[in-house]
Amino acid sequence: MNLDGGHYFLTVLSPVQVDPWKDAAGRVTSPTSSLREVLATLPTAAQSAACVAGGRESPFSRCERTHFARFVVIDQPAFNGRVPVDSLVDAIRKTDLLTDQHVDDVSTAWLLWAVDFDPGTDRANDANGSLHDYLVNLWNVMGAELAAIYRHCYGFEAVKNGEDFARYIRRCQVETTMPFNDYWITPPPLPTISLARIGIAIGVFTLGMTVLVACTAGWWGLVAFALSLALSVYGAYRYILGRGARPFATAPNSDLRTVLKSLYLQQQFARFAIAQQGVDPVDLHGAFGRFVDEHQPSNLSQPSQAPGVIQS
């Protein structure tokens, strides 16, 4: 599901053009090659002090709702070898292992975009509205970079603003069937089972059994029994599917600003603990008070770890 655990998991597949492409220097190349060049030069998350000091931050860090983003160019599906079968069956059938099997192929390259983001407090339960708001906001803060990437894809020539971009991405979106929830530090609460629904299923089955006992002679009893059993099993099956389709609850303190603040405090407190080894308890108490005053654990804005920075 796209919206799960309090976060939106967006998966997008956009077809890449195949006609020759002329870059800014006048060189004729393929859209796939030009796209790879754009992605290769796109700043990623800063992972060292030198990267932070360099000032080339990921454009996604301008949106303080983006947890993770990745682009991948898919030229062809991966070939995993022949379809595995039982070697004994092959020997009996005298299968010629040198005969080629069908290999999946695509007519054009595809651009995969996977991004996880906070849906926003006002859109927490509105998947479509959360996605639309996020895409419009993302275009407003990094529209130039997005245009440089998606101009190589079919259909993007009609995109002129954030609203157009949101509609374009929605057209290319595929459902995320296995989201990765990485902020629960304890098992998430499981959905409760409705005793009323179970009681209804048991009641339907009991009614069928009653009819069976009342009609022991003839086929009507067996028909009633089979029908009640089928209805009970189908009802339980649909109920389980419905409960399984519900998203996990939002993990506590899992929005991006809180996560960044937590990472910052973790790093600062580790240094504080090392520096205070063997300190007198009275001095330790005073040092901890100064630590709280300096780093302000309840203030999510400042000081904190900057978006687009990976450090520990």
Side-chain angles (χ1 to χ4, degrees):
M1 58 190 69
N2 297 322
L3 187 61
D4 191 33
H7 299 93
Y8 197 105
F9 299 85
L10 174 64
T11 305
V12 181
L13 279 173
S14 303
V16 180
Q17 299 177 6
V18 296
D19 296 331
W21 176 271
K22 182 178 291 187
D23 61 16
R27 297 171 300 180
V28 177
T29 182
S30 69
T32 302
S33 177
S34 180
L35 173 58
R36 289 185 185 277
E37 182 177 351
V38 172
L39 294 178
T41 56
L42 189 71
T44 59
Q47 302 183 46
S48 67
C51 292
V52 174
R56 294 187 74 245
E57 62 178 14
S58 169
F60 284 98
S61 64
R62 302 169 198 161
C63 176
E64 293 193 355
R65 292 168 57 185
T66 306
H67 289 251
F68 167 88
R70 171 175 290 175
F71 287 106
V72 179
V73 177
I74 303 175
D75 286 314
Q76 294 293 342
F79 177 64
N80 295 319
R82 295 179 63 87
V83 178
V85 293
D86 192 313
S87 58
L88 294 179
V89 174
D90 273 346
I92 295 173
R93 294 178 177 176
K94 298 181 179 181
T95 302
D96 183 3
L97 298 180
L98 298 180
T99 302
D100 63 297
Q101 294 181 335
H102 171 73
V103 178
D104 291 331
D105 190 17
V106 293
S107 59
T108 185
W110 292 79
L111 175 62
L112 168 68
W113 182 34
V115 57
D116 308 344
F117 63 88
D118 293 327
T121 56
D122 57 334
R123 294 281 198 172
N125 297 314
D126 181 4
N128 293 332
S130 297
L131 176 58
H132 183 85
D133 292 348
Y134 172 77
L135 293 174
V136 171
N137 176 255
L138 195 66
W139 179 269
N140 291 337
V141 297
M142 58 172 295
E145 290 85 354
L146 291 171
I149 295 170
Y150 276 98
R151 65 182 179 179
H152 299 90
C153 298
Y154 284 106
F156 187 76
E157 58 275 2
V159 174
K160 305 301 180 183
N161 51 48
E163 295 288 336
D164 294 340
F165 178 70
R167 284 190 291 267
Y168 173 80
I169 293 300
R170 288 287 301 276
R171 288 172 55 196
C172 300
Q173 182 183 10
V174 296
E175 182 182 4
T176 302
T177 56
M178 189 176 291
F180 178 69
N181 290 278
D182 55 348
Y183 290 126
W184 275 102
I185 60 176
T186 58
L190 298 177
T192 57
I193 299 176
S194 172
L195 296 179
R197 291 179 178 269
I198 296 178
I200 293 175
I202 295 176
V204 171
F205 182 74
T206 303
L207 176 62
M209 291 297 295
T210 302
V211 174
L212 173 62
V213 173
C215 307
T216 52
W219 291 97
W220 288 109
L222 294 176
V223 171
F225 172 74
L227 182 60
S228 63
L229 179 60
L231 289 175
S232 300
V233 171
Y234 178 75
Y237 171 74
R238 295 298 302 177
Y239 176 66
I240 293 174
L241 285 185
R243 300 299 293 181
R246 295 187 178 184
F248 278 141
T250 304
N253 304 316
S254 60
D255 61 283
L256 183 63
R257 296 181 65 199
T258 305
V259 170
L260 291 174
K261 184 68 176 188
S262 300
L263 293 173
Y264 170 81
L265 289 174
Q266 181 186 61
Q267 298 159 34
Q268 299 301 323
F269 188 77
R271 298 185 180 98
F272 171 82
I274 293 173
Q276 301 302 319
Q277 294 297 308
V279 174
D280 180 84
V282 175
D283 295 336
L284 176 61
H285 184 272
F288 183 72
R290 292 189 294 273
F291 175 88
V292 172
D293 292 339
E294 178 183 357
H295 300 292
Q296 305 178 46
S298 60
N299 185 356
L300 298 182
S301 300
Q302 293 292 336
S304 183
Q305 180 164 313
V309 176
I310 300 176
Q311 62 185 18
S312 61

